[in-house]
């Protein structure tokens, strides 16, 4: 007698949202849980109502692929394009033009990390993403467009290993401190405090 368990059929989606004209390259739930943001390879961002499953707004955000979207608790949206621009959009995507634009010169595929504390205005937001050099990460202030600091990864002492590109970036807040975590193509992970002295903690 066989004791093998009968394989269950895979679960089916509750719904399928249609409307994008190209492959969907980014998706994010709104913090309120009632809305959803999706973005595609043609640069379009759509805001959906989760309950009605209908689009609430659409904006042509970038020329080309959108790599990442980030939604603040206030509803404002950060979008990162493959064209090297990071843009800030008003809540609800009601405006056709971004309220802020940051030209980073970063054409890496790595998705940005956003530090947007609840209750803080966009002028206090920071974004981190790879710099012009594949080994570097720039931390930028959204409102001013100022690069706050550059994080430079370096091989271990005595090593001539190639670090490769930055492949992941993340912010982490602990009390009053803000830290940046950077993962690389070579398998290394570096951690910095901000404001930065230029030397990784680990």
């Amino acid at each position: 007698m066989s004791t093998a368990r009968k394989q269950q059929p895979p679960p089916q989606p509750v719904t399928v949202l249609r409307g994008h004209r190209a492959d969907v390259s980014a998706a994010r739930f709104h913090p309120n849980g009632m809305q959803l943001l999706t973005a595609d390879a043609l640069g379009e961002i759509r805001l959906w109502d989760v309950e009605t499953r209908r689009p609430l707004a659409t904006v042509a955000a970038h020329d080309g692929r959108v790599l990442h979207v980030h939604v603040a608790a206030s509803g404002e949206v950060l979008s990162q394009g493959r064209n090297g621009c990071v843009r800030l959009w008003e809540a609800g995507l009601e405006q056709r033009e971004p309220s802020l634009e940051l030209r980073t010169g970063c054409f890496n595929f790595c998705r940005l990390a956003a530090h947007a504390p609840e209750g803080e205005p966009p002028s206090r937001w920071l974004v981190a993403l790879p710099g012009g050099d594949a080994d570097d990460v720039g931390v930028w202030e959204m409102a001013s467009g100022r690069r706050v600091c550059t994080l430079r990864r370096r091989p271990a002492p005595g090593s001539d290993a190639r670090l490769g590109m930055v492949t992941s970036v993340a912010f982490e807040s602990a009390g009053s401190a803000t830290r940046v975590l950077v993962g690389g193509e070579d398998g290394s992970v570096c951690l910095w405090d901000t404001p930065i002295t230029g030397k990784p903690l680990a």
Side-chain angles (χ1 to χ4, degrees):
M1 181 177 177
S2 174
T3 58
R5 296 179 61 184
K6 185 178 180 180
Q7 186 174 8
Q8 296 295 318
Q12 297 298 308
V14 174
T15 190
V16 177
L17 306 177
R18 301 191 185 279
H20 285 286
R21 296 171 295 122
D23 58 288
V24 176
S25 53
R28 189 94 170 195
F29 275 103
H30 191 290
N32 64 19
M34 300 304 296
Q35 296 174 344
L36 170 70
L37 277 162
T38 57
D40 66 29
L42 293 177
E44 182 180 83
I45 298 177
R46 285 179 172 247
L47 177 66
W48 303 82
D49 185 298
V50 173
E51 185 174 349
T52 66
R53 300 164 190 172
R54 294 183 178 276
L56 299 172
T58 302
V59 64
H62 294 272
D63 297 326
R65 181 177 295 271
V66 178
L67 295 177
H68 183 65
V69 288
H70 174 89
V71 193
S74 62
E76 290 169 292
V77 176
L78 272 179
S79 65
Q80 176 192 9
R82 191 70 172 81
N83 59 356
C85 291
V86 177
R87 290 171 175 160
L88 177 69
W89 306 87
E90 296 295 338
L93 300 181
E94 296 176 353
Q95 303 297 323
R96 299 294 91 189
E97 298 294 330
S99 55
L100 290 172
E101 179 179 79
L102 180 63
R103 294 184 176 272
T104 66
C106 170
F107 303 101
N108 189 313
F109 64 86
C110 179
R111 295 177 177 178
L112 65 78
H115 181 58
E118 185 174 356
E120 293 284 7
S123 60
R124 299 293 299 275
W125 291 5
L126 298 175
V127 295
L129 66 167
D133 190 312
D135 293 338
D136 296 345
V137 169
V139 179
W140 305 75
E141 187 179 67
M142 252 329 278
S144 66
R146 182 174 65 93
R147 185 185 287 225
V148 177
C149 60
T150 298
L151 313 180
R152 301 189 186 280
R153 298 183 304 138
R154 293 292 180 262
S159 171
D160 58 356
R162 178 181 177 273
L163 293 177
M165 294 187 298
V166 171
T167 53
S168 61
V169 185
F171 274 109
E172 189 271 340
S173 295
S176 60
T178 300
R179 295 185 285 189
V180 182
L181 192 65
V182 177
E185 188 180 15
D186 64 324
S188 66
V189 179
C190 294
L191 176 66
W192 284 268
D193 273 335
T194 54
I196 304 300
T197 61
K199 295 182 178 180
L201 297 177

